[in-house]
């Protein structure tokens, strides 16, 4: 019987036939895929013809379909719908795949051919895009250790394999802690919780197999509990569980794993001739140096901490007014901040949330994409990997553009957070292929599903990433869509968040779940007026995480990351009642893989640009100005990694931005 992961998918738009794939298909399919890819690489490396762009670089760009199909399906379900078998497979696959790709960059014959093409680049009649792909390919081989010899070469391969194993262990430990912990609530414990929070707690209890409501470490459940529960003892218990993920001792403890990862990264960087891992990692980003990153973060830290300290004093006074003496604690902040928001902005999340229906917010994200870029979305009835998933065909002027899949609800089998990935990326070589893009979120279920304002912003954020994938228009897959510098990749996503705050968008799509009535203008004004509320807290928790990440990698790897974390927070004067958004043992951005390592700052770097970019719309004809939308698509969304990010942004805006727009947008600018 043919393995469905290896056959040509005779399905609508060649979407993976999820209903035909079982967990038993993955291991044998990977064996065949690895063999096929090895044969493809060997043919390129041993080609007797003189090295050329076509027979080396384009040959490397040609996809190995079996590998792409196997890995796209496996990593989709491993992240969004895991189970013990898939976790076992992931532990087995990670070191094998790391060794496989390391062997490619370590292939001396192959590197010699890549270098030969690179050395003759001035004499080749290459397009700008081809020159970019050649540069990135050569640089990737060098940074991967292709020029290393002997013991250094062998050690590099060992390090890569070990890092892959550790990243998988870190992720699975975190998932285990998030899956296993929950706090059962009695009916009395539901006091003060709005209906949406109670419904989410009951749904979570059902998912956990218990009779009553529960609090879990899903952000969409624990955050409302911390905001609304008057039970300080229960808030503390829930918060401590949230903060302790990955640091509970035993088999799922991530602290030793983090230390080993940091040590191996430092060794890897030094093998390649860099002073430390941050210098190695940032070389290819817009920021270029650790000093530039730290400069940006500290420019923002001062105003953010000052605002957070002012807010903490107000919240402490409110708490003491309730007869609670002592310091404001992290499990108090959300509760008293929500009370203060209701007083100062007369905005009650329990009243607001019925206007933010998930389905209507999805419609809103689609409608904005239609007005800006002419995209249309039609539901697709196709088998997907989980009943919660939905799919749409994306078209423009009747022409197929992409398939978009949304997987929105939290469940125990899904890792926390939200992300966008492409099961297939856009490309024109060696044949035209349209993207298949997935947004994964962790919203609480309900009938209907209701979002917080932060949830709605997350939905728009991830859809911004999806647009970057869907509107890509390049020749080569390696520079398609979100294949850009890490501190540029968040620009489209963070920029798209701004359209949620456009009054005409909320007035049309923020309709009440029961009455169907549009959000009253008074409430709409309050929502927009409170857009920067508690921004001191939000900025402090983020920037602290980014500074700790940078400190871990800019210098010698700390033997005790937790001690180094404490030192950094003490040095910057971290407010007592705020913790890092991602403490080390559950800092998946940094330790699940190299993606955001020494790069968590990139959200802030991109925000400098997104604030400035949206200002370009406001300075023109408004949020839906057609000329600005056309320029955004032409210079950023369609261009992928075909040019240097600074060049792309300058083409769109005419200049590079400063930090002023960011501080103004966050309400942190000096008045």
């Amino acid at each position: 019987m043919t393995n469905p992961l290896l056959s040509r998918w005779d399905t609508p738009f060649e979407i993976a036939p999820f209903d035909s794939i079982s967990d038993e298909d993955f291991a044998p399919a990977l064996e065949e895929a690895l063999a096929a890819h090895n044969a493809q690489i060997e043919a390129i490396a041993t080609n007797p013809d003189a090295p050329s762009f076509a027979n080396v670089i384009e040959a490397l760009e040609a996809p190995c379909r079996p590998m792409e199909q196997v890995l796209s399906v496996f990593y989709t379900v491993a992240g969004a719908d895991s189970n013990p078998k898939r976790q076992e497979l992931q532990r087995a696959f990670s070191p094998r795949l790391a060794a496989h790709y390391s062997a490619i960059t370590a292939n001396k014959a192959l590197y010699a051919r890549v270098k030969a093409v690179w050395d003759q680049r001035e004499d080749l009649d290459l397009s700008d895009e081809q020159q970019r792909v050649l540069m990135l390919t050569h640089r990737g081989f060098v940074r991967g250790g292709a020029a290393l010899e002997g013991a250094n070469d062998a050690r590099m391969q060992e390090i890569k394999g070990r890092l892959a194993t550790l990243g998988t262990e870190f992720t699975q430990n975190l998932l285990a802690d998030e899956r296993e912990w929950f706090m059962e609530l009695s009916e009395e414990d539901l006091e003060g919780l709005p209906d949406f929070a109670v419904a989410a707690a009951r749904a979570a209890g059902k998912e956990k197999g218990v009779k009553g409501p529960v609090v879990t470490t899903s952000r969409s459940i624990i955050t409302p509990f911390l905001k609304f529960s008057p039970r300080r003892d229960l808030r503390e218990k829930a918060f401590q569980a949230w903060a302790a993920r990955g640091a509970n001792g035993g088999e799922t403890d991530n602290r030793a794993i983090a230390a080993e990862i940091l040590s191996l990264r430092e060794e890897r960087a030094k093998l390649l001739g860099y002073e430390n891992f941050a210098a190695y990692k940032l070389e290819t980003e817009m920021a270029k140096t650790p000093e530039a990153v730290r400069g940006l973060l500290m420019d923002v830290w001062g105003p953010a901490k000052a605002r957070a300290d002012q807010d903490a004093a107000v919240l402490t006074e409110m708490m003491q007014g309730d007869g609670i003496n002592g310091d404001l604690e992290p499990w108090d902040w959300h509760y008293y901040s929500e009370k203060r928001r209701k007083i100062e902005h007369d905005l009650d999340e329990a009243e607001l949330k019925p206007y933010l229906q998930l389905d209507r917010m999805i419609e809103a994200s689609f409608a904005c994409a239609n007005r800006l870029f002419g995209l249309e979305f039609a539901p697709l009835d196709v088998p997907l990997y989980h009943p919660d998933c939905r799919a749409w065909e994306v078209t423009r002027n009747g022409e197929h553009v992409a398939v978009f899949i949304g997987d929105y609800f939290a469940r125990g089998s899904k890792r926390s957070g939200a992300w966008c990935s492409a099961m297939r990326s856009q490309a024109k070589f060696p044949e035209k292929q349209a993207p298949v893009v997935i947004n994964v979120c962790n919203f609480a279920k309900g009938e209907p599903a209701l979002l917080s304002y932060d949830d709605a912003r997350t939905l728009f954020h991830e859809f911004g990433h999806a647009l970057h994938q869907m509107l890509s228009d390049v020749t080569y897959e390696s520079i398609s869509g979100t294949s850009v510098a890490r501190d540029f990749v968040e620009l489209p996503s963070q920029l798209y968040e701004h359209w949620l705050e456009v009054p005409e968008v909320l007035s049309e799509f923020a309709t009440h779940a029961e009455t169907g009535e549009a959000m009253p203008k008074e409430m709409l004004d309050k929502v927009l007026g409170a857009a920067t509320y508690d921004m001191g807290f939000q900025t402090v928790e983020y920037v602290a995480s980014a500074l700790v990440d940078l400190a871990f990698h800019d210098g010698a790897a700390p033997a005790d990351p937790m001690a180094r974390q404490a030192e950094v927070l003490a040095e910057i004067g971290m407010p007592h009642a705020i913790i890092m958004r991602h403490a080390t043992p559950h800092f998946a951005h940094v330790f699940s893989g190299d993606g955001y390592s020494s790069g968590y700052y990139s959200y802030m770097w991109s925000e400098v640009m997104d604030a400035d970019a949206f200002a370009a719309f406001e300075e023109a004809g408004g949020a839906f100005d057609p000329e600005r939308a056309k320029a955004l698509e032409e210079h950023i969304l369609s261009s992928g990694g075909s040019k240097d990010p600074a060049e792309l942004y300058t083409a769109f805006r005419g200049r590079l931005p400063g930090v002023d727009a960011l501080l103004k947008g966050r309400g942190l600018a000096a008045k």
Side-chain angles (χ1 to χ4, degrees):
M1 184 174 172
T2 303
N3 191 313
L5 287 164
L6 299 173
S7 60
R8 189 87 185 200
W9 293 338
D10 184 18
T11 56
F13 311 109
E14 295 188 330
I15 299 173
F18 288 105
D19 57 343
S20 301
I21 299 169
S22 71
D23 288 347
E24 284 65 38
D25 293 323
F26 286 117
L30 181 65
E31 292 298 330
E32 290 195 38
L34 286 170
H37 199 209
N38 281 330
Q40 179 178 330
I41 296 299
E42 185 64 16
I44 300 169
T46 60
N47 189 336
D49 296 337
S52 68
F53 185 84
N55 68 23
V56 179
I57 308 303
E58 285 191 328
L60 288 169
E61 286 288 327
C64 177
R65 184 172 290 274
M67 281 289 283
E68 291 201 342
Q69 292 188 173
V70 172
L71 298 185
S72 68
V73 174
F74 179 73
Y75 281 108
T76 294
V77 298
D81 192 25
S82 189
N83 60 35
K85 177 63 176 177
R86 291 168 187 173
Q87 291 183 331
E88 177 188 342
L89 288 169
Q90 194 171 6
R91 288 191 294 270
F93 285 4
S94 292
R96 288 205 64 190
L97 288 167
H100 172 73
Y101 288 110
S102 291
I104 293 174
T105 54
N107 187 316
K108 303 307 180 187
L110 180 59
Y111 173 59
R113 291 180 66 79
V114 170
K115 188 174 185 301
V117 179
W118 172 250
D119 289 342
Q120 58 178 316
R121 62 190 180 279
E122 301 296 338
D123 301 324
L124 303 176
D125 185 20
L126 301 179
S127 68
D128 289 346
E129 186 176 333
Q130 288 174 326
Q131 291 179 36
R132 177 78 173 169
V133 169
L134 173 57
M135 184 278 290
L136 292 172
T137 303
H138 178 259
R139 187 176 74 181
F141 270 84
V142 172
R143 287 172 58 83
L148 297 177
E149 300 286 351
N152 287 346
D153 185 19
R155 179 57 180 156
M156 177 63 77
Q157 309 319 311
E158 292 175 1
I159 289 172
K160 288 182 179 179
R162 181 60 179 160
L163 284 171
T165 297
L166 291 171
T168 298
E169 290 180 4
F170 188 98
T171 302
Q172 294 190 353
N173 288 346
L174 179 55
L175 179 62
D177 277 5
E178 292 174 341
R179 181 180 60 243
E180 296 302 322
W181 188 89
F182 59 89
M183 180 175 68
E184 295 189 51
L185 300 175
S186 68
E187 292 301 312
E188 291 75 20
D189 295 336
L190 299 176
E191 176 196 352
L193 300 185
D195 291 344
F196 74 83
V198 172
R202 293 193 191 281
K206 185 177 180 180
E207 197 260 339
K208 294 296 183 186
V210 300
K211 291 183 179 179
V214 303
V215 174
T216 72
T217 54
S218 170
R219 190 181 290 272
S220 63
I221 292 176
I222 197 169
T223 299
F225 184 79
L226 293 172
K227 282 184 177 180
F228 295 107
S229 175
R231 288 284 303 276
R232 194 180 191 223
D233 58 330
L234 296 183
R235 294 200 314 266
E236 179 179 3
K237 183 178 178 181
F239 184 89
Q240 296 287 23
W242 168 259
R245 291 169 298 147
N248 288 304
E251 294 182 355
T252 62
D253 198 293
N254 276 332
R255 287 171 287 191
I257 292 175
E260 186 178 354
I261 287 173
L262 293 174
S263 177
L264 290 172
R265 284 177 180 164
E266 180 188 16
E267 185 180 358
R268 176 182 177 185
K270 288 187 172 179
L271 282 172
L272 294 171
Y274 295 89
E275 183 178 355
N276 53 55
F277 186 81
Y280 160 76
K281 186 67 182 293
L282 295 173
E283 179 186 49
T284 60
E285 308 297 335
M286 285 186 73
K288 302 303 181 190
T289 67
E291 292 73 27
V293 172
R294 188 172 287 103
L296 167 68
L297 294 174
M298 293 309 295
D299 282 347
V300 177
W301 176 258
K305 182 180 182 298
R307 178 64 54 81
D309 287 341
Q310 294 169 7
D311 292 342
V314 174
L315 301 185
T316 300
E317 186 175 346
M318 292 175 66
M319 183 182 75
Q320 292 175 350
D322 283 347
I324 302 173
N325 296 319
D327 293 333
L328 183 76
E329 300 292 345
W331 47 90
D332 297 317
W333 190 291
H334 286 290
Y335 181 71
Y336 286 100
S337 181
E338 181 62 23
K339 275 192 168 186
R340 181 188 179 193
R341 182 173 76 148
K342 191 172 181 179
I343 294 169
E344 295 186 0
H345 296 278
D346 194 20
L347 189 60
D348 184 344
E349 185 171 325
E351 295 178 9
L352 171 64
K353 207 162 185 177
Y355 290 96
L356 299 176
Q357 301 175 67
L358 171 61
D359 286 349
R360 294 293 279 153
M361 291 299 100
I362 294 171
E363 289 180 46
S365 66
F366 289 176
C368 291
N370 176 262
R371 290 186 63 180
L372 289 164
F373 311 115
L375 299 179
E376 297 182 338
F377 301 81
L380 277 175
D381 184 11
V382 294
L384 297 168
Y385 61 87
H386 192 278
D388 287 345
C389 297
R390 291 181 257 177
W392 293 264
E393 182 191 5
V394 187
T395 60
R396 180 157 57 182
N397 300 323
E399 296 291 324
H400 179 74
V401 173
V403 170
F404 175 67
I405 299 170
D407 179 3
Y408 296 108
F409 297 123
R411 54 180 175 266
S413 62
K414 183 190 290 186
R415 63 181 170 90
S416 62
W419 64 93
C420 174
S421 60
M423 293 195 68
R424 182 173 63 239
S425 297
Q426 177 273 330
K428 300 174 186 175
F429 176 87
E431 59 185 14
K432 185 176 181 180
Q433 64 182 36
V436 176
V437 187
I438 302 179
N439 275 178
V440 183
C441 300
N442 271 281
F443 303 141
K445 271 190 174 181
E447 293 295 337
L450 304 178
L451 306 182
S452 68
Y453 197 70
D454 284 344
D455 288 339
R457 185 182 291 114
T458 296
L459 187 147
F460 269 70
H461 177 102
E462 297 306 331
F463 194 70
H465 282 309
L467 288 172
H468 203 181
Q469 295 278 14
M470 293 189 286
L471 292 173
S472 179
D473 186 22
V474 297
T475 302
Y476 302 103
E477 187 173 341
S478 67
I479 55 169
S480 174
T482 57
S483 297
V484 299
R486 183 65 61 177
D487 52 8
F488 191 69
V489 76
E490 298 298 337
L491 168 60
S493 55
Q494 293 178 185
L495 175 59
Y496 204 64
E497 293 178 32
H498 288 272
W499 274 272
L500 174 63
E501 298 179 353
V502 174
E504 62 188 280
V505 174
L506 284 173
S507 63
E508 180 177 358
F509 293 98
T511 56
H512 198 279
E514 295 179 4
T515 68
E517 295 179 359
M519 181 183 290
K521 186 178 186 304
E522 180 183 3
M523 181 179 285
L524 175 61
D525 292 341
K526 291 174 184 176
V527 169
L528 298 177
T532 60
Y533 176 72
D534 215 19
M535 197 55 74
F537 171 90
Q538 295 178 41
T539 308
V540 161
E541 65 166 2
Y542 166 79
V543 174
S545 296
L547 285 167
V548 168
D549 167 41
L550 184 65
F552 279 161
H553 298 98
D554 184 22
D560 183 348
M562 299 304 293
R564 182 66 180 125
Q565 172 185 298
E567 289 173 3
V568 173
L569 298 181
E571 288 168 3
I572 62 177
M574 185 72 171
H576 172 75
I578 305 178
I579 67 168
M580 295 165 60
R581 182 174 298 178
H582 304 290
T584 299
H586 54 256
F587 208 161
H589 282 78
V590 171
F591 293 106
S592 290
D594 277 356
Y596 282 90
S597 55
S598 197
Y600 191 63
Y601 77 92
S602 59
Y603 291 95
M604 187 67 71
W605 192 274
S606 292
E607 190 177 342
V608 170
M609 289 182 285
D610 83 62
D612 182 68
F614 193 71
F617 281 85
E618 295 176 319
E619 293 163 9
F624 294 99
D625 180 77
E627 292 303 315
R628 286 290 84 200
K630 181 180 178 182
L632 178 63
E633 179 177 353
E634 177 183 354
H635 297 300
I636 294 176
L637 296 177
S638 72
S639 296
S642 61
K643 295 181 181 178
D644 182 87
E647 184 180 346
L648 292 175
Y649 189 84
T650 302
F652 165 71
R653 190 65 164 112
R655 55 167 174 73
L656 291 174
V659 75
D660 294 345
L662 179 147
L663 293 175
K664 180 181 178 182
R666 285 188 168 238
L668 299 174
K671 296 180 181 179

